[in-house]
Amino acid sequence: MPKDVDLVKITVKIFGPKYFGLDTYDVVTVVFDVREVATVGEVMDVLDGMYPGLKNRLLRDGQIIPMHDIWVNGRSIDFLQGLATVLKDGDVVQIIPPFGG
């Protein structure tokens, strides 16, 4: 990453990680730095590198699969800018599997 790019720290929480193919039932929390103008879509690419296959279980043709969701600070990205939502320092991205009650 170029030295003149500012970084921001974000937190990602993956709920129902077993559903997404991860080897745990507990919520996975990852904190890392991304470039200042990183989007949710770019973070999904990073996460897919860390957890291969995660993106394919959440997205289809660049859209969130119905009944799944991605939130930024408690708001669905459907009500923000979708995968193009730009993240700020301290943002929390939550990956939500389908659920029923």
Side-chain angles (χ1 to χ4, degrees), residues 1 4 6 8 13 23 27 32 36 38 42 46 50 54 67 71 80 83-84 86-88 90 92 97 101:
M1 198 169 293
D4 60 345
D6 289 330
V8 297
K13 294 185 178 225
D23 197 24
V27 173
F32 57 95
E36 189 173 37
E42 291 168 340
V46 171
M50 296 168 69
L54 173 68
M67 304 301 292
W71 296 350
L80 300 170
L83 293 172
V86 175
L87 298 168
K88 302 178 303 302
V92 177

Side-chain angles (χ1 to χ4, degrees), residues 5 7-8 13 17 21 26 34-36 38 40-42 46 49 55 64-65 67 73 82 84-85 87-88 92 94-95:
V5 174
L7 298 177
V8 297
K13 294 185 178 225
D26 297 326
V34 295
R35 62 190 184 87
E36 189 173 37
V40 171
E42 291 168 340
V46 171
K55 204 161 95 167
I64 298 175
I65 297 171
M67 304 301 292
N73 301 326
T85 301
L87 298 168
K88 302 178 303 302
V92 177
Q94 296 169 295
I95 298 175

Side-chain angles (χ1 to χ4, degrees), residues 12-56:
V12 176
K13 294 185 178 225
I14 304 171
F15 292 90
K18 197 71 166 174
Y19 172 84
F20 291 112
L22 282 65
D23 197 24
T24 183
Y25 289 99
D26 297 326
V27 173
V28 172
T29 301
V30 183
V31 178
F32 57 95
D33 294 326
V34 295
R35 62 190 184 87
E36 189 173 37
V37 293
T39 65
V40 171
E42 291 168 340
V43 167
M44 289 306 304
D45 290 338
V46 171
L47 290 171
D48 198 54
M50 296 168 69
Y51 306 109
L54 173 68
K55 204 161 95 167
N56 288 337

